[in-house]
């Protein structure tokens, strides 16, 4: 029989270990269902020792949430090279990797989990959304967005978030389809806004100019064209002029 020698960890190293263990447990079950005893057992230490490093489950949960928020925000970082459609598709792939790997943890992060309503949790959620927003603006090469562009980008970030949360409930739509659909959603939101605003129209024309026909945005155009009946067969639609 062999006996293992437990290595003594420094304070910060132990804290990081506990955060990692908690995040792993939260990734498979709701944080409300995970006890301090389970976290201690998974870390190979006693319950009192967990409280030595964290005052309670809430503080450990917030520390795990902090790590998850930082990791999720990093998923939106993408080198500004190549067509925008392909870049957004890669971002969505990494975003859904995180959602897939940390389902309950992702839901807890976006819904607040046991810390719902706390200023700390709300601030972390806002940081993730802001990081995603700023990354998209960087890809569009816009420093000072107009009100319409801000509306488009923030609406799209919220759409990606809500889509992922709904997808977690049964995963009834193939993940790859949702990733592509969200890229199409971005183009659709921009196109609708462009129909109302010349500045947005200029941005849309600029980003589409570099898009290949076989890219995500080209794919969207092909799908929409296939839905439109021929000019001769198209029904007359009432058009009301906007005032």
């Amino acid at each position: 029989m062999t006996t293992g020698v437990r290595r003594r960890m420094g304070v910060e190293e132990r804290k990081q270990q506990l955060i990692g263990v908690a995040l792993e447990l939260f990734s498979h079950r709701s944080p409300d269902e995970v006890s301090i005893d389970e976290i201690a057992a998974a870390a190979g230490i006693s319950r009192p020792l967990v409280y030595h490093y964290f005052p309670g489950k809430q503080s450990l949960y917030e520390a795990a949430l902090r790590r998850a928020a930082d990791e999720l925000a990093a998923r939106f970082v993408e080198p500004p090279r190549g067509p925008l459609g392909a870049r957004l598709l890669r971002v969505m792939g990494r975003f859904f990797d995180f959602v897939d790997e940390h389902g309950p943890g992702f839901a807890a992060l976006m819904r607040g989990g046991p810390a719902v309503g706390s200023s700390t949790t709300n601030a972390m959620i806002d940081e993730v959304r802001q990081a995603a927003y700023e990354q998209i603006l960087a890809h569009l090469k816009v420093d000072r967005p107009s009100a319409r562009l801000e509306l488009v980008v923030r609406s799209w970030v919220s759409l990606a978030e809500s889509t992922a949360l709904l997808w977690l409930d049964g995963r009834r739509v193939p993940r790859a389809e949702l990733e592509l659909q969200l890229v199409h959603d971005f183009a659709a939101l921009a196109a609708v806004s462009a129909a109302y605003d010349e500045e947005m129209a200029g941005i849309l024309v600029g980003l589409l100019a570099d898009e290949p026909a076989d890219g995500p945005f080209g794919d969207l155009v092909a799908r929409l064209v296939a839905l439109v009946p021929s000019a001769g067969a198209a029904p007359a639609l009432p058009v009301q002029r906007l005032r």
Side-chain angles (χ1 to χ4, degrees), residues 62-243:
E62 289 182 357
L65 212 57
R66 172 76 275 166
R67 182 183 291 185
D70 291 343
E71 182 181 342
L72 181 55
R75 301 292 176 109
F76 284 87
V77 177
E78 172 72 20
R81 296 189 297 271
L84 179 63
R87 282 183 257 161
L88 289 181
L89 191 57
R90 288 192 291 271
V91 167
M92 286 296 95
R94 290 194 300 272
F95 173 66
F96 271 89
D97 280 344
F98 182 93
V99 173
D100 216 359
E101 295 163 7
H102 305 286
F106 172 79
L109 172 63
M110 291 307 172
R111 291 174 175 152
V116 64
S118 80
S119 58
T120 301
T121 305
N122 291 339
M124 282 189 272
I125 295 170
D126 287 341
E127 284 176 24
V128 173
R129 293 169 178 155
Q130 183 65 21
Y133 169 73
E134 292 174 358
Q135 281 296 316
I136 300 305
L137 290 183
H139 285 295
L140 295 174
K141 299 179 180 179
V142 175
D143 295 323
R144 301 180 66 180
S146 65
R148 287 188 185 275
L149 180 57
E150 180 175 0
L151 181 61
V152 165
V153 178
R154 291 198 185 279
S155 295
W156 183 73
V157 170
S158 295
L159 179 61
E161 174 189 323
S162 59
T163 297
L165 287 171
L166 287 169
W167 177 75
L168 281 172
D169 185 16
R171 292 172 167 82
R172 291 170 291 175
V173 178
R175 173 184 149 177
E177 288 183 17
L178 277 186
E179 292 172 9
L180 180 60
Q181 182 178 314
L182 280 166
V183 176
H184 289 172
D185 286 335
F186 180 83
L189 286 168
V192 170
S193 186
Y196 289 83
D197 182 76
E198 289 186 5
E199 183 178 356
M200 278 301 304
I203 292 173
L204 182 65
V205 169
L207 70 88
L208 291 179
D210 297 327
E211 292 293 321
D214 61 351
F217 291 162
D219 176 68
L220 173 61
V221 172
R223 289 172 183 266
L224 292 176
V225 168
L227 293 175
V228 178
S230 62
L237 297 176
V239 177
Q240 180 178 356
R241 184 179 180 82
L242 293 175
R243 298 182 185 277

